[in-house]
Every structure is written in C-alpha cells, then in structure tokens.
Amino acid sequence: MIVVRRALVVALMLGAFASPAGAATTTKTTTTKAATPSAAGFDVTGAGFGHGVGMSQYGAAGFALHGYTYGEILSHYYSETTLGDVSPKRTVTVLLHQGAATFSGASAIAGSPTKKLNPKLNYGVIPHGSELRIITGGRTVGTFAAPVTVRGKGSGPLTLVGQGAYDGAFVFRPNNTGGVMTVNSVPLDSYVRGVITAEMPASWPMQALEAQAVAARTYAITAAAVAADFDVYDNTQSQMYRGISSESPTGNAAVAATSGKVVEYEGRPVVTYFFASSGGYTESLQNVWSGLAPEPWLHGVPDPYDDSYGNPYYRWTDDYSLASAGRKLHNLYRGSLEGIKVTQTGVSPRVVRALVVGTDGASAVTGTKLQRLFGTRSTYMSFTTLTAQGERIIKTTIKTTVKTKTTKPPAKTTTRTTTSVPTVTTPTTPATTTDTTPITDTTPTTTPTTDTTPTTTTTTTTTTSLQRANAKPARRVTKKVATHLYVQGTVYPAARSLSVTAQRDVDGHWRPVGRARLTTKGTYAIPVKVPGTYRILYQGLDGPNVKVP
C-alpha cells in the first residue's frame, strides 16, 4: 500500500511562516541624595613675626651659632654697609609715660638750685595751668615753668613709680589731655643697655647680642624724632626699652664691646630696622611701607637660620570659620565671602596686595591692612577657604525584561488522499493431479475469480486553529540598589594639580581614607566606605569636621 503524506510538507510550511519568540528590556535608574550641612573654614597661614625689614633677631642668633661675627651678621641684613663710630654719651629722649607721674630717687630740680629733693621720698607731678606743680606728703614743693627736669644724686638712677628705674634724668611736660608727659633723657649707651635684653634674650650668643646692640644704637640716632619733645617710644613703636630693670651682664658686656659702633652706608649712619623673625626671607622697605622710597641697604635677603632656637614664629596658622572671617572683612566684599586671593607679593612671600573675593564682587586691599584686620604676626601669609560636606547617594536600577510568545500563521486546510487498489485472485493449477475422473468439456479448465470491490479515494480535511495566542507575556524584573558615600567640597584659591586627603575619625584618631585632585574650579569629591566623622587635609591645613550620613 502506498500512502502519500502531505501533512509533513504542510507542517514545514507552517513553520516557515511562524514568528520567532522575542524579548524587550527596559532599564530605569533613580537617584536619591542626602547631604549634611556644608561646613566652611578659613585659614591664615603665615611665617615670621614683625615687619620683615632689616635684621631678623632669630636669624641673627642662628648666624651667631654658625660662627658669624656681629659685623658679618650686620652686613648680611644691611647690605653694603660698614661700621662707624658715634659718641656713646650723646643724649636720647624716650617717652616713658602719659598721665599722672610719681617719681623717686631725685635730688635736684634743674634750674632751681634752692629747691632740694629727698631721693628717698616719692614726689608727684600735676599740671597747674601751663606750669607743673611738684608735691609730696600732701604739701607743695613748688610750682615750675614747663618743662621740669629732675636728676638723681651723682649718677644715681631715678624711679618712675609703677614702671621702673632709669639712668639719666626725667623731663616732665603737660600733655594735651590734662595729664603729664614723662620723658627719660639718657646717654646713648645707657639707653642701649636698657634696650638690648628687652629685645633679645640675654642667653643668646654674644655675637647676636653685639649685633643687636649696634642695631639698637644706630636706630636710636637715625630714626626720625617721633615728636618735638622726644625721639623714640619705649615700646615696639620704636624699640623696647625697660631701663635698668632690663639690663643683664651679657647685655651690658655686648654694649661695652661695641661702644659707640653704628651701621653706616656710604659713610653715614642709616636707619637699622629690626624685628623678631623673618620666616626665612626678609623684605624690601618699599614693599612693607608704601610711600617710602627703596633703600639699598634695606632690601630683602635670604635668612637661612631664622628657625634657630625653636623659633615659635617661624611658621604659624590662625583658624577661623568663614563666617567670622567675613565679619572681619565685612566692608571689603559683596555677596557671600569666598576667600582672599593674593595678587602681589614682595621679594619674599609677604603680601603687598590682595583681592577680598565675594560671590557678587571683590575689593583690592594691602597686605598691611589685612595684617591689621586679622591681627597676624606678619604680612608673610596666605589665605585658604576650605568647605566640606558629607553626602549619601542611593542609585536604584530596575531592569524589566518582557518575553513575547510565537505568533501563529493564518488557518489552512490540509487534504489527505488515500488510494485503494482492487485485489485480484489468480486460480492455482497444480502441476500434477491424481484425480482419475475424466475431464469433460463442461468443466472449465480455469475459473477466473474477480474482486468486485471498487477502487475508492478518501480525502481527509484537517482544520488548524489560526488565532494569535492571548496568554500574557512572561515578565522578569531585576532591582539593584547601590549606595555611594562622599566627602565633597571646595578649596579657594587652589591649583588644579594639588590634591586633598580625606580622614576619618576612628576612636579619636584621624585615619586617611582617600585622596582626590582638585578640579580647575577648586572642587573635590572623595568616595568613602562607611558613615562617620570626616575632615579634609590640604597643604597641611585641617578642614572643618563633617558627618557623612
């Protein structure tokens, strides 16, 4: 039987028209931020103590420790100068006090030989119109035309009660506030003895003390007179002077060893400014006091030994909040204070000019004004604003994948045809027979047998369902949550090549946890691993503490 199977062909044709299974994926990311309030610090970093012009006292001590003589020390700080001589007995007048005056130790009033004073008694001086009255024990000694000068017996010292003992004479004048001006008129070297160890420790090397003695002597005779009635103040407005009470054996020895010696430029004494500490480099005169012309012996020079004797002023930092710094600078910027940018320095890093920068405007200012506003030790300074903030960023990513089912083709009719073939039976004739019956004509030799079942063709029709499947597509959702912690903020002003370091407070100890370079705008962001208290380090400065949530 032969069967033709067209169903297989049809099935293959159906497969050729079927749509393959597919998948569509969508991804959605959301970001949630939580930040702590920003903290802002303002640091003034500086070096040295004093105006920076002339001789550094710590530097001079360092030179002496390295074997330099006082002449070599002076010629280093006062360029192209030599040593000259003046009379050690020439007079210097020093303002000691303004107000009520009480003295002792005096035995005479100049110009009044009949009026004797007892050195053991205290005397008061009070104004009386344009004159002065001297009193003691409730009685008047006398009324005298100003000025009134009193001296001790012989070379004995005088005492200004409440202040100290001094060589020379006291000169009293009425002042413009209704009180009394007390001036010490004293020989030059006696004055220097009262200056030297008020300005420099007596324990420092002798060569440093000798350099100090010469500088103090020269300054006293070259500084322009402060007023018509006196030459110098007894404080840092000129140089420190404490009279006999500040003398020491080493200081007196240094004065004696240099008696009458002064610093000269081109054969004449010149002003010899000095100060405590340079921070490593002195400064030229015109860069500190605007309006003064440059002087060849007063230009900035390296000061390699200024860090001697554990100099506490060699490097220093003053910390402020940005808000408190803003209050000090309140009329110099507009908007919110960003910081201070130095625009001009001298031969040293001392500030000559700078900009006070706000979000809405900036103002130019001198270094000496900034020193006055912040009360810093010198104009050798820089300014840094550090801001910091802790931030938590949560990123949630949802990935959705939808799988679609196979789309079926349109319905078709499949016909299957089966053909039946008639069965033909052929009689069997044996080759040999043993039957003896004679064959007669009426008995046919062969009797054909014919199958009378007709040939039939059967067609089977199968109908296939053709509508699209209505089942819901398969859906898979993947959710991923990532948490990122940062310390971020700004540095002003800053260089892009510099970096900041984040530290975390671990049981009271700061541990470094990351570093980042600054952007061109001075911003930074440092990833950290856990919440906690952090701070930023930048160029040796500590930023404000912040919490990372």
Side-chain angles (χ1 to χ4, degrees), residues 102-114:
T102 302
F103 66 91
S104 66
S107 60
I109 301 173
S112 300
T114 60

Side-chain angles (χ1 to χ4, degrees), residues 102-106 119 122-123 156-166 170 172:
T102 302
F103 66 91
S104 66
N122 289 341
Y123 294 90
L158 297 172
T159 298
L160 186 62
V161 176
Q163 192 157 316
Y166 300 86
F170 287 158
F172 301 103

Side-chain angles (χ1 to χ4, degrees), residues 12-206:
L12 291 174
M13 292 176 65
L14 288 175
F17 287 100
S19 298
T25 301
T26 59
T27 302
K28 182 179 180 182
T29 301
T30 58
T31 301
T32 304
K33 295 183 179 181
T36 58
S38 178
F42 183 86
D43 294 297
V44 184
T45 305
F49 188 6
H51 49 67
V53 178
M55 184 181 75
S56 158
Q57 293 166 316
Y58 273 96
F63 272 111
L65 284 174
H66 286 78
Y68 289 77
T69 66
Y70 79 87
E72 292 170 330
I73 294 171
L74 292 168
S75 65
H76 173 76
Y77 290 109
Y78 308 110
S79 302
E80 304 176 40
T81 60
T82 58
L83 293 176
D85 293 282
V86 297
S87 171
K89 294 183 179 180
R90 65 184 291 175
T91 299
V92 178
T93 54
V94 189
L95 177 64
L96 299 181
H97 186 69
Q98 295 268 27
T102 302
F103 66 91
S104 66
S107 60
I109 301 173
S112 300
T114 60
K115 296 292 184 180
K116 301 295 182 180
L117 301 177
N118 185 344
K120 296 181 180 179
L121 296 180
N122 289 341
Y123 294 90
V125 184
I126 59 175
H128 185 74
S130 61
E131 299 179 312
L132 293 173
R133 180 170 290 174
I134 296 178
I135 61 175
T136 184
R139 65 180 180 86
T140 299
V141 174
T143 302
F144 307 92
V148 175
T149 301
V150 299
R151 299 181 184 278
K153 186 176 181 178
S155 59
L158 297 172
T159 298
L160 186 62
V161 176
Q163 192 157 316
Y166 300 86
D167 284 331
F170 287 158
V171 181
F172 301 103
R173 287 183 171 87
N175 63 20
N176 56 11
T177 61
V180 176
M181 176 190 300
T182 304
V183 172
N184 183 202
S185 177
V186 60
L188 179 57
D189 272 15
S190 294
Y191 168 77
V192 176
R193 285 195 296 270
V195 168
I196 183 168
T197 50
E199 284 283 0
M200 182 177 283
S203 61
W204 281 11
M206 182 58 65

Side-chain angles (χ1 to χ4, degrees), residues 307-321:
D307 59 348
S308 300
Y309 284 94
N311 181 357
Y313 311 115
Y314 187 68
R315 295 289 183 268
W316 47 263
T317 300
D318 294 335
D319 300 326
Y320 301 88
S321 68

Side-chain angles (χ1 to χ4, degrees), residues 54 103 111 273 285 307 333 392 473 483 522:
F103 66 91
Y273 297 110
L285 175 68
D307 59 348
Y333 66 93
R392 173 190 292 266
T483 301

